[in-house]
Amino acid sequence: MSTTASDDFGQDVFVDGADWEVVEDAVGESTITVNMGPQHPSTHGVLRLVLELEGEIVRNVKPVIGYLHTGIEKNAEYRTWVQGTTFVTRMDYLSPFYNEVAYCLAVEKLLDIEAPERAQAIRVILMEFNRIASHLVWLATGGMELGAIGMMIYGFREREHILDLFESQTGLRMNHAWIRPGGLANDVTEDFVERCEHLLRLIPEKMREYEDLLLDNPIWRGRLTDVGVLTADDAVRMGVTGPLLRAAGVPYDLRKAQPYCGYEQYEFDVQTQDAGDSFARFLVRLEEMRQSMRIIRQALDLLPGGPVMVADKRIAWPAQQSLGPDGLGNDPEYIRHIMGESMEALINHFKLVTQGFTVPAGQVYVPVESPRGELGYAVTSNGTNKPYRIHVRDPSFVNLQATNLMSKDRMVSDLIAVVASIDPVMGGVDR
Amino acid sequence: MSGISVGHDPLTHERIEQLVQARFPDVAADITFGELTLFASAEDLIDLLRFCRDDDELACEALADVGGVHFPAGEHVIERQTSTTGWPAHRVSRDIGVVEVNYVLRSLSRNHWFRVACATSDDGGTLPTVTGLWPGANFPEREIFDMFGVVFEGHPDMTRILMPDDWLGHPLRKDYPLGGVDTNYKHGKFIPPPHQRDLREVIGDTPAATRHLPLLPGDADSETGGDQ
């Protein structure tokens, strides 16, 4: 049995680290071991980095994770398929729509159904706005960590406008659980297109401000250029995806490679840079926001009419209702139908809401291109009304492994830039 | 600049199956939901994955995902609501419980992907590590060890990753209960885990009447007369 593989990558590529170090080990010959995090303003939540320092030089970094572990994968096994959306949306909390869409695409693949065109287009629009919002948070927090405090205020300010759009459509700023297996929870409001147009006018204007602020800023450039270089080969070997991979010169984007939700209809460019450093990642993300707006523009122009939920009443959660002034979903027509006309419809409604639908047995893997890279849902069903197992391949979780490779033998301050440029979201890392 | 190119020339599932089976005749293949799964034994695993990575035609440069699923031993009857869904009931029986580890291999240069599944016993099972082929398998393998108890031999650091170091049990196994850890709530309240609440389950051989139904928080209040 060939258990050991012989390829020699050197020790740098491996990260290790248990929760506790023995105290005697903390001081070495010339190095000291220092804890950075889990509570630290520049670790994006509760990431803990155990650093081996020689003076100001980082000799080794061990990311220690699990401080935000919430057992979502386990919990979802005890809920119905529709309730699953409520859970998965809370994983990577900066890109909730991607979690929902990937999960719903996986369930739809198992069910062998496809959401209506209108639902797909709205998913794309919201996902791309979500990408902009997520990159804005990255710009904001990354800027703050590197000393551009003003950027934090601006990034969050514009993000709030996007979250206003989400709130107006889904009722929630984040963790929407609005995308459901088979389509959407309800149709968009009448002013949806107008609100999107407003954002499409607002964001490019503000993006010029960010560029004025950062692009030629010598401090910003100095902190990022040649910091955290990751070559394409290393990135692929480490499983790194998303802007990090594209900044290393690999034009791989799942929206192009394996289109879903109708991405093949939209024209956009996959952004790449050759340098593979933190500044290249900044440029890639900045340009990705522009491409997102291009996609939204086309999706708005093409926005088809029709239903937003599949017609099959065995699966379709009532999606005709609209949000009333009382904050609840109302549909007098539907209520009249189930309460006054059809006993069968009432039974179906009752069973759908209490038991949910069952999903044929099998296993699927559905990846989508989230703002951080490949977000994959490996969903296993055993043919009941609850998922048998949901495994999530979260891009932050995998990308974090490259921290040591990128920050070894650099200054501590460079480590901050490296972690910022990975853009890990701990809700996704720990799940 | 690098040896990584991105193209679009995917192999068909049949061709991938053919290429792999020419080299590894014991590997079974299955195409369901348009996804190809190759079932490898633990002995073949490393050689198979190395072949998929290094073969010019398969060219799977990236290991996209490693995930685990636990299938415990015993008999499970899956009853579906045939009247409403039309899907029939079936029976699953396993002599030995397994943890199935799925490796998702992706070719960037050709733009295809497929799954290699490798099962190991859920009672002290081991698998060879693939960190020697893809260092990026490090965290995912640690997660599977943490969550299912599968030990990856040769892994540089086989420790728990998400749960604390001193945690007992492997939470994502099917024999690990949800809500299995006591939690101190205010006023000594007991919040039952979801599977002990009175949910109307489609499946399950326990009649609802005999299922343990603890008091819900509201009931506890009325019992102590706190509501008056």
Side-chain angles (χ1 to χ4, degrees), chain A residues 7 17 65 74 109 257 314 351 358 363 374 383 388-389 391 393, chain B residues 35 53 64 68 70 80-81 84 87 102 106 111 157 161 174 176:
Chain A
D7 293 32
I65 60 175
K74 180 80 175 176
K109 196 170 183 183
R314 294 174 306 187
K351 292 185 81 152
T358 61
Q363 185 177 27
E374 174 176 349
Y388 185 74
R389 164 100 171 97
H391 163 71
R393 185 253 194 240
Chain B
E35 298 183 2
R53 187 190 67 168
H70 182 211
R80 278 112 152 222
Q81 300 253 310
T84 50
W87 291 311
N102 297 303
R106 166 167 291 131
N111 195 19
D157 183 42
I161 187 165
K174 289 290 173 185
Y176 186 99

PDB file of all heavy atoms in Angstrom, chain A residues 7 17 65 74 109 257 314 351 358 363 374 383 388-389 391 393, chain B residues 35 53 64 68 70 80-81 84 87 102 106 111 157 161 174 176:
ATOM      1  N   ASP A   7       6.124  13.286  -3.228  1.00  0.00           N
ATOM      2  CA  ASP A   7       6.410  14.608  -3.785  1.00  0.00           C
ATOM      3  C   ASP A   7       6.965  15.521  -2.698  1.00  0.00           C
ATOM      4  O   ASP A   7       6.419  15.608  -1.611  1.00  0.00           O
ATOM      5  CB  ASP A   7       5.152  15.243  -4.356  1.00  0.00           C
ATOM      6  CG  ASP A   7       4.664  14.480  -5.565  1.00  0.00           C
ATOM      7  OD1 ASP A   7       4.861  13.261  -5.578  1.00  0.00           O
ATOM      8  OD2 ASP A   7       4.107  15.102  -6.468  1.00  0.00           O
ATOM      9  N   GLY A  17      -0.880  22.962  13.891  1.00  0.00           N
ATOM     10  CA  GLY A  17      -1.185  23.736  15.067  1.00  0.00           C
ATOM     11  C   GLY A  17      -2.429  23.234  15.748  1.00  0.00           C
ATOM     12  O   GLY A  17      -3.503  23.237  15.176  1.00  0.00           O
ATOM     13  N   ILE A  65      -8.301  27.666  14.097  1.00  0.00           N
ATOM     14  CA  ILE A  65      -9.672  28.083  13.826  1.00  0.00           C
ATOM     15  C   ILE A  65     -10.643  27.256  14.656  1.00  0.00           C
ATOM     16  O   ILE A  65     -10.240  26.345  15.373  1.00  0.00           O
ATOM     17  CB  ILE A  65     -10.003  27.966  12.326  1.00  0.00           C
ATOM     18  CG1 ILE A  65      -9.846  26.520  11.873  1.00  0.00           C
ATOM     19  CG2 ILE A  65      -9.110  28.880  11.511  1.00  0.00           C
ATOM     20  CD1 ILE A  65     -10.259  26.295  10.451  1.00  0.00           C
ATOM     21  N   LYS A  74     -24.401  19.998  10.987  1.00  0.00           N
ATOM     22  CA  LYS A  74     -25.108  19.007  11.808  1.00  0.00           C
ATOM     23  C   LYS A  74     -26.568  19.423  12.007  1.00  0.00           C
ATOM     24  O   LYS A  74     -27.470  18.614  11.853  1.00  0.00           O
ATOM     25  CB  LYS A  74     -24.403  18.890  13.160  1.00  0.00           C
ATOM     26  CG  LYS A  74     -25.021  17.892  14.122  1.00  0.00           C
ATOM     27  CD  LYS A  74     -24.602  16.491  13.799  1.00  0.00           C
ATOM     28  CE  LYS A  74     -25.114  15.499  14.829  1.00  0.00           C
ATOM     29  NZ  LYS A  74     -24.777  14.124  14.437  1.00  0.00           N
ATOM     30  N   LYS A 109     -30.824  20.220  -8.178  1.00  0.00           N
ATOM     31  CA  LYS A 109     -30.195  19.180  -8.993  1.00  0.00           C
ATOM     32  C   LYS A 109     -30.674  17.800  -8.550  1.00  0.00           C
ATOM     33  O   LYS A 109     -30.950  16.937  -9.373  1.00  0.00           O
ATOM     34  CB  LYS A 109     -28.670  19.281  -8.856  1.00  0.00           C
ATOM     35  CG  LYS A 109     -27.897  18.533  -9.915  1.00  0.00           C
ATOM     36  CD  LYS A 109     -26.425  18.904  -9.847  1.00  0.00           C
ATOM     37  CE  LYS A 109     -25.630  18.227 -10.934  1.00  0.00           C
ATOM     38  NZ  LYS A 109     -24.187  18.538 -10.824  1.00  0.00           N
ATOM     39  N   ALA A 257     -16.462  28.967 -16.352  1.00  0.00           N
ATOM     40  CA  ALA A 257     -16.087  27.585 -16.608  1.00  0.00           C
ATOM     41  C   ALA A 257     -17.291  26.660 -16.563  1.00  0.00           C
ATOM     42  O   ALA A 257     -17.459  25.811 -17.436  1.00  0.00           O
ATOM     43  CB  ALA A 257     -15.038  27.142 -15.583  1.00  0.00           C
ATOM     44  N   ARG A 314     -46.003  20.216  -5.460  1.00  0.00           N
ATOM     45  CA  ARG A 314     -45.488  19.332  -4.425  1.00  0.00           C
ATOM     46  C   ARG A 314     -44.213  19.902  -3.812  1.00  0.00           C
ATOM     47  O   ARG A 314     -43.779  19.503  -2.750  1.00  0.00           O
ATOM     48  CB  ARG A 314     -45.182  17.945  -5.005  1.00  0.00           C
ATOM     49  CG  ARG A 314     -46.416  17.211  -5.463  1.00  0.00           C
ATOM     50  CD  ARG A 314     -46.033  15.926  -6.154  1.00  0.00           C
ATOM     51  NE  ARG A 314     -45.097  16.145  -7.242  1.00  0.00           N
ATOM     52  CZ  ARG A 314     -44.718  15.179  -8.076  1.00  0.00           C
ATOM     53  NH1 ARG A 314     -45.163  13.960  -7.925  1.00  0.00           N
ATOM     54  NH2 ARG A 314     -43.878  15.429  -9.052  1.00  0.00           N
ATOM     55  N   LYS A 351     -49.064  20.101   4.599  1.00  0.00           N
ATOM     56  CA  LYS A 351     -47.980  19.110   4.605  1.00  0.00           C
ATOM     57  C   LYS A 351     -46.663  19.716   4.131  1.00  0.00           C
ATOM     58  O   LYS A 351     -45.593  19.395   4.635  1.00  0.00           O
ATOM     59  CB  LYS A 351     -48.360  17.918   3.714  1.00  0.00           C
ATOM     60  CG  LYS A 351     -49.501  17.128   4.293  1.00  0.00           C
ATOM     61  CD  LYS A 351     -49.794  15.902   3.478  1.00  0.00           C
ATOM     62  CE  LYS A 351     -48.857  14.786   3.814  1.00  0.00           C
ATOM     63  NZ  LYS A 351     -49.444  13.467   3.598  1.00  0.00           N
ATOM     64  N   THR A 358     -40.008  15.661  -0.017  1.00  0.00           N
ATOM     65  CA  THR A 358     -38.903  14.708   0.040  1.00  0.00           C
ATOM     66  C   THR A 358     -38.069  14.831  -1.226  1.00  0.00           C
ATOM     67  O   THR A 358     -38.559  15.256  -2.274  1.00  0.00           O
ATOM     68  CB  THR A 358     -39.389  13.265   0.192  1.00  0.00           C
ATOM     69  OG1 THR A 358     -40.185  12.940  -0.944  1.00  0.00           O
ATOM     70  CG2 THR A 358     -40.200  13.090   1.456  1.00  0.00           C
ATOM     71  N   GLN A 363     -26.271  11.928  -4.254  1.00  0.00           N
ATOM     72  CA  GLN A 363     -25.299  12.907  -3.818  1.00  0.00           C
ATOM     73  C   GLN A 363     -24.922  13.811  -4.975  1.00  0.00           C
ATOM     74  O   GLN A 363     -24.725  13.334  -6.090  1.00  0.00           O
ATOM     75  CB  GLN A 363     -24.043  12.195  -3.302  1.00  0.00           C
ATOM     76  CG  GLN A 363     -23.032  13.154  -2.724  1.00  0.00           C
ATOM     77  CD  GLN A 363     -21.826  12.442  -2.155  1.00  0.00           C
ATOM     78  OE1 GLN A 363     -21.482  11.348  -2.595  1.00  0.00           O
ATOM     79  NE2 GLN A 363     -21.177  13.046  -1.188  1.00  0.00           N
ATOM     80  N   GLU A 374     -14.297  29.340  -4.732  1.00  0.00           N
ATOM     81  CA  GLU A 374     -15.228  28.248  -5.006  1.00  0.00           C
ATOM     82  C   GLU A 374     -15.989  27.868  -3.740  1.00  0.00           C
ATOM     83  O   GLU A 374     -15.413  27.356  -2.789  1.00  0.00           O
ATOM     84  CB  GLU A 374     -14.468  27.040  -5.539  1.00  0.00           C
ATOM     85  CG  GLU A 374     -15.364  25.823  -5.703  1.00  0.00           C
ATOM     86  CD  GLU A 374     -14.638  24.637  -6.318  1.00  0.00           C
ATOM     87  OE1 GLU A 374     -13.515  24.811  -6.808  1.00  0.00           O
ATOM     88  OE2 GLU A 374     -15.209  23.535  -6.299  1.00  0.00           O
ATOM     89  N   GLY A 383     -33.342  10.311   0.587  1.00  0.00           N
ATOM     90  CA  GLY A 383     -34.696  10.167   0.078  1.00  0.00           C
ATOM     91  C   GLY A 383     -35.784  10.609   1.030  1.00  0.00           C
ATOM     92  O   GLY A 383     -36.946  10.276   0.828  1.00  0.00           O
ATOM     93  N   TYR A 388     -29.491  14.342   4.359  1.00  0.00           N
ATOM     94  CA  TYR A 388     -28.732  13.330   5.100  1.00  0.00           C
ATOM     95  C   TYR A 388     -27.408  13.924   5.551  1.00  0.00           C
ATOM     96  O   TYR A 388     -26.935  13.670   6.638  1.00  0.00           O
ATOM     97  CB  TYR A 388     -28.501  12.106   4.217  1.00  0.00           C
ATOM     98  CG  TYR A 388     -27.839  10.957   4.943  1.00  0.00           C
ATOM     99  CD1 TYR A 388     -28.551  10.193   5.858  1.00  0.00           C
ATOM    100  CD2 TYR A 388     -26.493  10.643   4.728  1.00  0.00           C
ATOM    101  CE1 TYR A 388     -27.952   9.146   6.533  1.00  0.00           C
ATOM    102  CE2 TYR A 388     -25.895   9.606   5.393  1.00  0.00           C
ATOM    103  CZ  TYR A 388     -26.628   8.855   6.303  1.00  0.00           C
ATOM    104  OH  TYR A 388     -26.025   7.825   6.981  1.00  0.00           O
ATOM    105  N   ARG A 389     -26.823  14.737   4.698  1.00  0.00           N
ATOM    106  CA  ARG A 389     -25.556  15.371   5.036  1.00  0.00           C
ATOM    107  C   ARG A 389     -25.353  16.544   4.097  1.00  0.00           C
ATOM    108  O   ARG A 389     -25.576  16.415   2.887  1.00  0.00           O
ATOM    109  CB  ARG A 389     -24.415  14.370   4.868  1.00  0.00           C
ATOM    110  CG  ARG A 389     -23.028  14.973   4.819  1.00  0.00           C
ATOM    111  CD  ARG A 389     -22.325  14.859   6.131  1.00  0.00           C
ATOM    112  NE  ARG A 389     -20.923  15.260   6.014  1.00  0.00           N
ATOM    113  CZ  ARG A 389     -20.469  16.485   6.335  1.00  0.00           C
ATOM    114  NH1 ARG A 389     -21.294  17.395   6.769  1.00  0.00           N
ATOM    115  NH2 ARG A 389     -19.181  16.767   6.226  1.00  0.00           N
ATOM    116  N   HIS A 391     -22.258  18.928   3.181  1.00  0.00           N
ATOM    117  CA  HIS A 391     -20.866  19.306   3.381  1.00  0.00           C
ATOM    118  C   HIS A 391     -20.605  20.573   2.579  1.00  0.00           C
ATOM    119  O   HIS A 391     -20.981  20.649   1.413  1.00  0.00           O
ATOM    120  CB  HIS A 391     -19.928  18.199   2.925  1.00  0.00           C
ATOM    121  CG  HIS A 391     -18.513  18.656   2.716  1.00  0.00           C
ATOM    122  ND1 HIS A 391     -17.700  18.982   3.767  1.00  0.00           N
ATOM    123  CD2 HIS A 391     -17.801  18.866   1.593  1.00  0.00           C
ATOM    124  CE1 HIS A 391     -16.532  19.371   3.280  1.00  0.00           C
ATOM    125  NE2 HIS A 391     -16.565  19.318   1.966  1.00  0.00           N
ATOM    126  N   ARG A 393     -17.873  23.200   1.105  1.00  0.00           N
ATOM    127  CA  ARG A 393     -16.488  23.520   0.804  1.00  0.00           C
ATOM    128  C   ARG A 393     -16.412  25.038   0.794  1.00  0.00           C
ATOM    129  O   ARG A 393     -16.813  25.696  -0.165  1.00  0.00           O
ATOM    130  CB  ARG A 393     -16.119  22.946  -0.571  1.00  0.00           C
ATOM    131  CG  ARG A 393     -14.663  23.122  -0.934  1.00  0.00           C
ATOM    132  CD  ARG A 393     -14.476  24.167  -1.978  1.00  0.00           C
ATOM    133  NE  ARG A 393     -13.131  24.077  -2.530  1.00  0.00           N
ATOM    134  CZ  ARG A 393     -12.256  25.069  -2.479  1.00  0.00           C
ATOM    135  NH1 ARG A 393     -12.596  26.216  -1.943  1.00  0.00           N
ATOM    136  NH2 ARG A 393     -11.069  24.926  -2.992  1.00  0.00           N
TER     137      ARG A 393
ATOM    138  N   GLU B  35     -23.178  13.406 -12.649  1.00  0.00           N
ATOM    139  CA  GLU B  35     -21.886  13.500 -11.980  1.00  0.00           C
ATOM    140  C   GLU B  35     -21.237  12.126 -11.954  1.00  0.00           C
ATOM    141  O   GLU B  35     -21.882  11.124 -11.650  1.00  0.00           O
ATOM    142  CB  GLU B  35     -22.070  14.014 -10.542  1.00  0.00           C
ATOM    143  CG  GLU B  35     -22.666  15.400 -10.496  1.00  0.00           C
ATOM    144  CD  GLU B  35     -22.776  15.930  -9.072  1.00  0.00           C
ATOM    145  OE1 GLU B  35     -22.357  15.230  -8.134  1.00  0.00           O
ATOM    146  OE2 GLU B  35     -23.292  17.042  -8.919  1.00  0.00           O
ATOM    147  N   ARG B  53      -3.952  13.142 -11.415  1.00  0.00           N
ATOM    148  CA  ARG B  53      -3.284  14.435 -11.410  1.00  0.00           C
ATOM    149  C   ARG B  53      -2.239  14.520 -12.519  1.00  0.00           C
ATOM    150  O   ARG B  53      -2.130  15.541 -13.204  1.00  0.00           O
ATOM    151  CB  ARG B  53      -2.605  14.668 -10.050  1.00  0.00           C
ATOM    152  CG  ARG B  53      -2.026  16.054  -9.895  1.00  0.00           C
ATOM    153  CD  ARG B  53      -1.167  16.181  -8.668  1.00  0.00           C
ATOM    154  NE  ARG B  53       0.051  15.383  -8.783  1.00  0.00           N
ATOM    155  CZ  ARG B  53       1.087  15.475  -7.963  1.00  0.00           C
ATOM    156  NH1 ARG B  53       1.049  16.296  -6.944  1.00  0.00           N
ATOM    157  NH2 ARG B  53       2.155  14.716  -8.120  1.00  0.00           N
ATOM    158  N   ALA B  64     -10.470  19.956  -5.632  1.00  0.00           N
ATOM    159  CA  ALA B  64     -11.421  21.019  -5.312  1.00  0.00           C
ATOM    160  C   ALA B  64     -11.990  20.853  -3.913  1.00  0.00           C
ATOM    161  O   ALA B  64     -12.215  21.835  -3.213  1.00  0.00           O
ATOM    162  CB  ALA B  64     -12.549  21.045  -6.337  1.00  0.00           C
ATOM    163  N   GLY B  68     -16.716  14.308   3.861  1.00  0.00           N
ATOM    164  CA  GLY B  68     -17.060  12.990   4.376  1.00  0.00           C
ATOM    165  C   GLY B  68     -18.552  12.828   4.602  1.00  0.00           C
ATOM    166  O   GLY B  68     -19.262  13.801   4.828  1.00  0.00           O
ATOM    167  N   HIS B  70     -21.113   9.895   6.729  1.00  0.00           N
ATOM    168  CA  HIS B  70     -21.138   8.704   7.566  1.00  0.00           C
ATOM    169  C   HIS B  70     -22.376   7.864   7.269  1.00  0.00           C
ATOM    170  O   HIS B  70     -23.489   8.372   7.304  1.00  0.00           O
ATOM    171  CB  HIS B  70     -21.130   9.134   9.047  1.00  0.00           C
ATOM    172  CG  HIS B  70     -21.116   7.969   9.991  1.00  0.00           C
ATOM    173  ND1 HIS B  70     -21.694   8.015  11.226  1.00  0.00           N
ATOM    174  CD2 HIS B  70     -20.589   6.733   9.870  1.00  0.00           C
ATOM    175  CE1 HIS B  70     -21.520   6.845  11.828  1.00  0.00           C
ATOM    176  NE2 HIS B  70     -20.858   6.056  11.033  1.00  0.00           N
ATOM    177  N   ARG B  80     -41.190   6.823   1.892  1.00  0.00           N
ATOM    178  CA  ARG B  80     -41.558   8.125   1.373  1.00  0.00           C
ATOM    179  C   ARG B  80     -43.069   8.204   1.265  1.00  0.00           C
ATOM    180  O   ARG B  80     -43.769   7.215   1.270  1.00  0.00           O
ATOM    181  CB  ARG B  80     -40.953   8.369   0.006  1.00  0.00           C
ATOM    182  CG  ARG B  80     -39.521   8.829   0.110  1.00  0.00           C
ATOM    183  CD  ARG B  80     -38.669   7.927  -0.349  1.00  0.00           C
ATOM    184  NE  ARG B  80     -37.400   8.274  -0.896  1.00  0.00           N
ATOM    185  CZ  ARG B  80     -37.026   7.632  -1.968  1.00  0.00           C
ATOM    186  NH1 ARG B  80     -37.854   6.877  -2.628  1.00  0.00           N
ATOM    187  NH2 ARG B  80     -35.811   7.808  -2.378  1.00  0.00           N
ATOM    188  N   GLN B  81     -43.541   9.408   1.140  1.00  0.00           N
ATOM    189  CA  GLN B  81     -44.969   9.617   0.991  1.00  0.00           C
ATOM    190  C   GLN B  81     -45.317   9.390  -0.470  1.00  0.00           C
ATOM    191  O   GLN B  81     -45.375  10.328  -1.263  1.00  0.00           O
ATOM    192  CB  GLN B  81     -45.311  11.040   1.416  1.00  0.00           C
ATOM    193  CG  GLN B  81     -44.930  11.307   2.844  1.00  0.00           C
ATOM    194  CD  GLN B  81     -46.126  11.373   3.736  1.00  0.00           C
ATOM    195  OE1 GLN B  81     -47.072  12.063   3.447  1.00  0.00           O
ATOM    196  NE2 GLN B  81     -46.096  10.631   4.822  1.00  0.00           N
ATOM    197  N   THR B  84     -48.028  11.562  -2.192  1.00  0.00           N
ATOM    198  CA  THR B  84     -47.820  12.960  -2.569  1.00  0.00           C
ATOM    199  C   THR B  84     -46.624  13.153  -3.483  1.00  0.00           C
ATOM    200  O   THR B  84     -46.597  14.066  -4.284  1.00  0.00           O
ATOM    201  CB  THR B  84     -47.610  13.845  -1.332  1.00  0.00           C
ATOM    202  OG1 THR B  84     -46.626  13.246  -0.504  1.00  0.00           O
ATOM    203  CG2 THR B  84     -48.893  14.026  -0.564  1.00  0.00           C
ATOM    204  N   TRP B  87     -42.440   9.027  -5.142  1.00  0.00           N
ATOM    205  CA  TRP B  87     -41.184   8.293  -5.036  1.00  0.00           C
ATOM    206  C   TRP B  87     -41.364   7.083  -4.122  1.00  0.00           C
ATOM    207  O   TRP B  87     -41.937   7.203  -3.031  1.00  0.00           O
ATOM    208  CB  TRP B  87     -40.085   9.211  -4.497  1.00  0.00           C
ATOM    209  CG  TRP B  87     -39.710  10.259  -5.459  1.00  0.00           C
ATOM    210  CD1 TRP B  87     -39.418  10.086  -6.775  1.00  0.00           C
ATOM    211  CD2 TRP B  87     -39.605  11.655  -5.208  1.00  0.00           C
ATOM    212  NE1 TRP B  87     -39.133  11.296  -7.371  1.00  0.00           N
ATOM    213  CE2 TRP B  87     -39.243  12.267  -6.430  1.00  0.00           C
ATOM    214  CE3 TRP B  87     -39.770  12.452  -4.089  1.00  0.00           C
ATOM    215  CZ2 TRP B  87     -39.041  13.629  -6.544  1.00  0.00           C
ATOM    216  CZ3 TRP B  87     -39.573  13.802  -4.209  1.00  0.00           C
ATOM    217  CH2 TRP B  87     -39.218  14.388  -5.423  1.00  0.00           C
ATOM    218  N   ASN B 102     -15.143  11.778  -0.002  1.00  0.00           N
ATOM    219  CA  ASN B 102     -15.263  12.142  -1.418  1.00  0.00           C
ATOM    220  C   ASN B 102     -14.207  13.165  -1.796  1.00  0.00           C
ATOM    221  O   ASN B 102     -14.141  14.239  -1.198  1.00  0.00           O
ATOM    222  CB  ASN B 102     -16.650  12.726  -1.693  1.00  0.00           C
ATOM    223  CG  ASN B 102     -17.736  11.718  -1.451  1.00  0.00           C
ATOM    224  OD1 ASN B 102     -17.743  10.651  -2.048  1.00  0.00           O
ATOM    225  ND2 ASN B 102     -18.632  12.037  -0.537  1.00  0.00           N
ATOM    226  N   ARG B 106     -10.523  18.377 -10.006  1.00  0.00           N
ATOM    227  CA  ARG B 106     -10.896  19.312 -11.062  1.00  0.00           C
ATOM    228  C   ARG B 106      -9.707  19.558 -11.985  1.00  0.00           C
ATOM    229  O   ARG B 106      -8.587  19.739 -11.533  1.00  0.00           O
ATOM    230  CB  ARG B 106     -11.365  20.628 -10.465  1.00  0.00           C
ATOM    231  CG  ARG B 106     -11.452  21.747 -11.496  1.00  0.00           C
ATOM    232  CD  ARG B 106     -12.194  22.938 -11.017  1.00  0.00           C
ATOM    233  NE  ARG B 106     -13.601  22.634 -10.870  1.00  0.00           N
ATOM    234  CZ  ARG B 106     -14.327  22.917  -9.797  1.00  0.00           C
ATOM    235  NH1 ARG B 106     -13.774  23.493  -8.784  1.00  0.00           N
ATOM    236  NH2 ARG B 106     -15.593  22.613  -9.759  1.00  0.00           N
ATOM    237  N   ASN B 111     -11.239  21.706 -17.885  1.00  0.00           N
ATOM    238  CA  ASN B 111     -12.554  22.108 -17.393  1.00  0.00           C
ATOM    239  C   ASN B 111     -13.518  20.931 -17.244  1.00  0.00           C
ATOM    240  O   ASN B 111     -14.629  20.966 -17.741  1.00  0.00           O
ATOM    241  CB  ASN B 111     -13.161  23.195 -18.285  1.00  0.00           C
ATOM    242  CG  ASN B 111     -14.333  23.875 -17.628  1.00  0.00           C
ATOM    243  OD1 ASN B 111     -14.485  23.791 -16.412  1.00  0.00           O
ATOM    244  ND2 ASN B 111     -15.169  24.506 -18.412  1.00  0.00           N
ATOM    245  N   ASP B 157      -0.164  16.793  10.505  1.00  0.00           N
ATOM    246  CA  ASP B 157      -0.647  17.269  11.800  1.00  0.00           C
ATOM    247  C   ASP B 157      -2.088  16.807  12.009  1.00  0.00           C
ATOM    248  O   ASP B 157      -3.023  17.570  11.795  1.00  0.00           O
ATOM    249  CB  ASP B 157      -0.546  18.803  11.845  1.00  0.00           C
ATOM    250  CG  ASP B 157      -0.964  19.344  13.192  1.00  0.00           C
ATOM    251  OD1 ASP B 157      -0.589  18.751  14.204  1.00  0.00           O
ATOM    252  OD2 ASP B 157      -1.683  20.357  13.223  1.00  0.00           O
ATOM    253  N   ILE B 161      -9.589  20.283  14.362  1.00  0.00           N
ATOM    254  CA  ILE B 161      -9.454  21.623  13.774  1.00  0.00           C
ATOM    255  C   ILE B 161     -10.579  22.557  14.196  1.00  0.00           C
ATOM    256  O   ILE B 161     -10.327  23.699  14.562  1.00  0.00           O
ATOM    257  CB  ILE B 161      -9.318  21.526  12.238  1.00  0.00           C
ATOM    258  CG1 ILE B 161      -9.013  22.888  11.630  1.00  0.00           C
ATOM    259  CG2 ILE B 161     -10.532  20.884  11.592  1.00  0.00           C
ATOM    260  CD1 ILE B 161      -8.527  22.830  10.225  1.00  0.00           C
ATOM    261  N   LYS B 174     -23.363   9.872  12.564  1.00  0.00           N
ATOM    262  CA  LYS B 174     -24.804   9.716  12.769  1.00  0.00           C
ATOM    263  C   LYS B 174     -25.119   9.197  14.172  1.00  0.00           C
ATOM    264  O   LYS B 174     -26.253   9.318  14.631  1.00  0.00           O
ATOM    265  CB  LYS B 174     -25.375   8.758  11.712  1.00  0.00           C
ATOM    266  CG  LYS B 174     -25.405   9.362  10.325  1.00  0.00           C
ATOM    267  CD  LYS B 174     -26.443  10.470  10.228  1.00  0.00           C
ATOM    268  CE  LYS B 174     -26.355  11.187   8.898  1.00  0.00           C
ATOM    269  NZ  LYS B 174     -27.264  12.324   8.830  1.00  0.00           N
ATOM    270  N   TYR B 176     -23.776  10.370  16.824  1.00  0.00           N
ATOM    271  CA  TYR B 176     -23.537  11.478  17.749  1.00  0.00           C
ATOM    272  C   TYR B 176     -24.801  12.334  17.767  1.00  0.00           C
ATOM    273  O   TYR B 176     -25.193  12.876  16.728  1.00  0.00           O
ATOM    274  CB  TYR B 176     -22.343  12.301  17.264  1.00  0.00           C
ATOM    275  CG  TYR B 176     -21.895  13.390  18.214  1.00  0.00           C
ATOM    276  CD1 TYR B 176     -20.819  13.204  19.057  1.00  0.00           C
ATOM    277  CD2 TYR B 176     -22.556  14.613  18.255  1.00  0.00           C
ATOM    278  CE1 TYR B 176     -20.398  14.195  19.920  1.00  0.00           C
ATOM    279  CE2 TYR B 176     -22.155  15.605  19.119  1.00  0.00           C
ATOM    280  CZ  TYR B 176     -21.070  15.396  19.943  1.00  0.00           C
ATOM    281  OH  TYR B 176     -20.675  16.389  20.796  1.00  0.00           O
TER     282      TYR B 176
END
